[in-house]
């Protein structure tokens, strides 16, 4: 795969649809080999490949940096968790997994309430969905949970008076991510993993026809 031809929009769409439930890469692999890219084209291709392959590691690293910046502010820690959750559920796979876990927990306490949390049925015409399948969480549109978590996070950010701190820590987290993605040499395992996930995506689309 030529990552140089992948646009930023393609990368964002891929990160939104790919499965984020996979565990992070081992630290021995994450900090394995670093080299300076020989050209801008090499750097452009490398940073996109690493952002996709080490996505879970980068997400955890940013969350940890944010948490370290707010050890003395509990409201800010909760706000960081809510903000990270509101971003994470934008991913289709994470949203589905989150909905299943919440519904399963509710079913143990109230099966009747859990039955109401099922997503609405999507009509099918000639073996294909009549419209693009929307993502639901606990029977409600995803945007409602994004709005709730984001609003609650902003309120807690305001109460903790940590907006300036979060900006600095977030910038540090992004800088560390870009720095690692720029100098971490993509290995053969990353390329093979990319090809395997591409095949799974193509096969899934083929099976829906």
């Amino acid at each position: 795969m030529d990552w140089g031809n992948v646009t930023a929009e393609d990368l964002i769409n891929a990160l939104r649809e790919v499965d984020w439930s996979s565990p992070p890469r081992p630290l021995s692999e994450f900090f394995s080999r670093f080299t300076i890219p020989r050209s801008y084209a090499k750097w452009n291709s490398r940073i996109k490949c690493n952002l996709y392959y080490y996505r879970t590691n980068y997400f955890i690293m940013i969350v940890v940096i944010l948490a370290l910046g707010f050890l003395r502010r509990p409201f800010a820690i909760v706000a960081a968790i809510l903000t990270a959750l509101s971003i994470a559920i934008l991913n289709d796979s994470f949203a589905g997994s989150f909905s299943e876990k919440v519904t399963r927990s509710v079913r143990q306490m109230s099966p009747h309430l859990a039955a109401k949390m099922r997503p609405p049925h999507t009509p099918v015409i000639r073996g294909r969905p009549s419209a693009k399948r929307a993502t639901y969480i606990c029977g409600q549109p995803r945007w409602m949970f994004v709005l709730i978590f984001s609003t609650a996070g902003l309120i807690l950010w305001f109460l903790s008076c940590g907006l300036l701190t979060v900006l600095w820590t977030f910038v540090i987290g992004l800088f560390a991510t870009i720095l690692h993605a720029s100098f971490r040499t993509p290995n053969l395992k990353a390329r093979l993993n990319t090809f395997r996930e591409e095949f799974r995506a193509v096969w899934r689309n083929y099976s829906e026809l």
Side-chain angles (χ1 to χ4, degrees):
M1 178 178 180
D2 186 5
W3 283 93
N5 296 328
V6 177
T7 63
E9 182 180 0
D10 295 334
L11 180 61
I12 293 175
N13 291 333
L15 291 174
R16 178 182 176 182
E17 297 175 1
V18 75
D19 184 12
W20 282 70
S21 61
S22 58
R25 311 297 175 184
L27 292 179
S28 58
E29 176 186 348
F30 189 61
F31 296 105
S32 176
R33 182 184 178 189
F34 295 90
T35 57
I36 300 177
R38 291 175 293 179
S39 63
Y40 172 79
K42 291 288 186 181
W43 172 82
N44 187 35
S45 177
R46 174 184 297 186
I47 195 171
K48 293 174 183 176
C49 179
N50 286 334
L51 285 175
Y52 184 81
Y53 184 68
Y54 295 110
R55 56 187 178 273
T56 307
N57 297 72
Y58 293 142
F59 182 78
I60 294 176
M61 182 173 64
I62 293 177
V63 171
V64 169
I65 292 176
L66 287 172
L68 291 176
F70 298 107
L71 289 178
R72 297 182 179 180
R73 298 182 179 182
F75 280 168
I77 295 178
V78 178
I81 295 175
L82 291 174
T83 303
L85 189 60
S86 64
I87 296 175
I89 60 178
L90 292 175
N91 176 262
D92 296 341
S93 177
F94 182 87
S97 177
F98 177 79
S99 179
E100 291 179 3
K101 291 180 180 179
V102 173
T103 305
R104 190 181 303 114
S105 300
V106 173
R107 186 181 296 114
Q108 295 177 354
M109 297 180 294
S110 175
H112 180 70
L113 178 60
K116 296 182 178 180
M117 297 169 62
R118 296 176 180 174
H121 177 69
T122 303
V124 178
I125 301 177
R126 295 182 181 180
R128 299 184 182 182
S130 59
K132 185 178 180 180
R133 184 180 301 174
T135 302
Y136 290 85
I137 300 177
C138 301
Q140 302 298 324
R142 174 169 51 185
W143 64 267
M144 291 185 58
F145 286 85
V146 175
L147 180 62
I148 292 173
F149 291 148
S150 301
T151 303
L154 287 176
I155 294 175
L156 291 176
W157 284 128
F158 179 77
L159 293 177
S160 64
C161 300
L163 290 178
L164 184 60
T165 305
V166 72
L167 288 177
W168 277 108
T169 53
F170 190 69
V171 168
I172 293 174
L174 287 180
F175 178 76
T177 299
I178 295 176
L179 190 66
H180 180 277
S182 298
F183 293 98
R184 176 63 175 91
T185 304
N187 51 22
L188 180 60
K189 184 178 180 180
R191 296 187 178 96
L192 292 177
N193 182 77
T194 301
F195 292 142
R196 183 170 61 252
E197 293 184 353
E198 286 179 349
F199 175 78
R200 289 176 179 173
V202 173
W203 180 259
R204 183 176 65 252
N205 294 333
Y206 175 77
S207 61
E208 292 178 354
L209 297 178

